[in-house]
Amino acid sequence: QVQLQESGPGLVKPSQTLSLTCTVSGGSISGGGYYWTWIRQHPGKGLEWIGYIYDSGSRHYSPSLKSRVTISVDTSKNQFSLRLSSVTAADTAVYYCARAPVCANDCYPLDFWGQGTLVTVSS
Amino acid sequence: DIVLTQSPGTLSLSPGERATLSCRASQSVGSSYLAWYQQKRGQAPRLLIYGASTRATGIPDRFSGSGSGTDFTLTISRLEPEDFAVYYCHQYSSSPFTFGPGTKVDIK
C-alpha cells in the first residue's frame, strides 16, 4: 500500500524559507487521481490544512497561508514539496503530508498520511 | 470558512463504556463530507469515518458515525484500551478544509 514520508530541516531561522519534501512509495504520484496535501499541527494543538497539488500542476492553498506557500511536484522522484516563506515562531509545527482521492462522482478525505516531521523556527 | 466545534473537550471513561463525541459546524457541511480521525500521541491521524457515516477500511464496527447538516456524532460502542486517544472531525466540503479542535478520550 502507499506510504508517505516527510523529510527536511528540523530547524529553520526566522524570516527564512521552510522547505519539506514528501516521498511517496507504493504508488505513482504522476498517475493522477489524488490531491497531494500538506497539513500542519502546532505543538499540542489541532490540525491546519495548508494546501494541495494535483494533476501535476493545479494547486489550491489555504487563504491564510496563500501568500507564503508554494507546493510543487517532482514526478521523476515521486515526490512533492512544500515551501513556506518568511517563517516566524508561529510556523513551528509538525508538518504532515497526505493524500486524498480527487473528487469524481463523490469526494473523499485524506486517507494516507506520513508520520509527520517537527519543524522548529528559532534563531 | 466552516468552523468546527467539538464537545466535550475531554471525555473520561472506562474500558467497555460507550463514548459519544459531538462535532458542530458553523454552516452546513455539503454532501455530509465530514470525516473523523483518531490520533494517538506521536502518530499521524488515522481515518475512521468518512461521508459522516461510512467506516474506512479496516475500522472495527464499534466505531459509528451519524449526522448531517451542522451536527455530527462519533460513537464508540464499547471502548477498548487502544481507543483512548484524541479524535478530530474534519470537513472536506468547502475550502479551506478545516478540522475541529479535538476531543480527548482518556481513561477514567
Side-chain angles (χ1 to χ4, degrees), chain A residues 41-42 44-48 96 113, chain B residues 4 6 21-23 34-40 43-49 74 85-91 98-104:
Chain A
Q41 185 169 32
H42 295 101
K45 302 294 186 182
L47 297 153
E48 180 182 16
Y96 295 98
W113 297 57
Chain B
L4 300 177
Q6 292 186 242
L21 288 67
S22 174
C23 176
L34 191 287
W36 290 92
Y37 291 87
Q38 176 194 68
Q39 186 177 36
K40 297 180 180 178
Q43 296 184 17
R46 177 175 73 141
L47 178 64
L48 300 175
I49 300 286
L74 173 70
V86 180
Y87 293 83
Y88 294 97
C89 57
H90 165 57
Q91 67 82 19
T98 51
F99 295 84
T103 290
K104 182 178 182 180

Side-chain angles (χ1 to χ4, degrees), chain A residues 50-123:
Chain A
I50 298 172
Y52 61 68
I53 188 168
Y54 69 105
D55 287 345
S56 297
S58 299
R59 300 168 176 86
H60 192 63
Y61 301 138
S62 171
S64 66
L65 296 170
K66 186 175 183 178
S67 64
R68 299 194 291 131
V69 170
T70 302
I71 297 176
S72 58
V73 66
D74 185 339
T75 55
S76 67
K77 296 181 179 179
N78 222 36
Q79 296 174 335
F80 65 105
S81 298
L82 169 72
R83 288 173 57 86
L84 181 66
S85 64
S86 305
V87 297
T88 69
D91 294 309
T92 294
V94 174
Y95 286 77
Y96 295 98
C97 59
R99 73 162 204 188
V102 168
C103 296
N105 296 319
D106 210 347
C107 290
Y108 300 92
L110 300 159
D111 54 5
F112 286 96
W113 297 57
Q115 65 185 27
T117 187
L118 174 63
V119 178
T120 301
V121 178
S122 176
S123 55

Side-chain angles (χ1 to χ4, degrees), chain A residues 3-7 21-25 77-80 97:
Chain A
Q3 292 186 314
L4 296 88
Q5 178 68 59
E6 306 87 352
S7 60
T21 296
C22 181
T23 301
V24 179
S25 58
K77 296 181 179 179
N78 222 36
Q79 296 174 335
F80 65 105
C97 59

